[in-house]
Amino acid sequence: MNVTLFYAELKPSQTAVVRENEDGSYTILINRNKPRDKQIQGVMHELSHINSDDFYSDLQAGIIERITHDAKHDADISGFTFYSNVL
């Protein structure tokens, strides 16, 4: 699975956001103004959403976020190929 990481200016409240692309790959936007450790946590959080197939869940977004925040951020990244860009 391909994941493109873009480092960009996001809202101060955002560390990272993910979207599924039409081709089945994913794009994670990472707030370049956050400290590196927070960026890593944000990426791991978004990878957890991908691994859990949260895009297709019937649960409300708030519930999904609560579950993901309560979980450990040790997503299995063995099946991912990463690409990186800076905006």
Side-chain angles (χ1 to χ4, degrees):
M1 182 174 323
N2 294 329
V3 177
T4 302
L5 306 174
F6 281 99
Y7 292 84
E9 284 191 38
L10 301 177
K11 295 178 185 177
S13 61
Q14 296 175 309
T15 302
V17 293
V18 63
R19 72 170 292 232
E20 183 177 19
N21 302 315
E22 291 181 16
D23 64 359
S25 67
Y26 294 88
T27 298
I28 298 176
L29 298 176
I30 305 162
N31 191 336
R32 68 179 181 197
N33 296 318
K34 296 283 185 175
R36 183 159 172 77
D37 63 320
K38 295 293 184 193
Q39 291 174 341
I40 292 168
Q41 289 174 3
V43 169
M44 295 305 288
H45 175 88
E46 301 307 333
L47 290 173
S48 294
H49 284 302
I50 295 169
N51 279 337
S52 298
D53 276 336
D54 288 341
F55 296 93
Y56 302 101
S57 176
D58 291 332
L59 296 174
Q60 294 178 338
I63 294 171
I64 292 171
E65 281 301 314
R66 198 170 323 133
I67 291 168
T68 305
H69 279 286
D70 291 344
K72 289 184 177 181
H73 294 299
D74 55 358
D76 178 11
I77 61 171
S78 60
F80 291 100
T81 301
F82 294 96
Y83 303 91
S84 179
N85 293 291
V86 178
L87 297 178

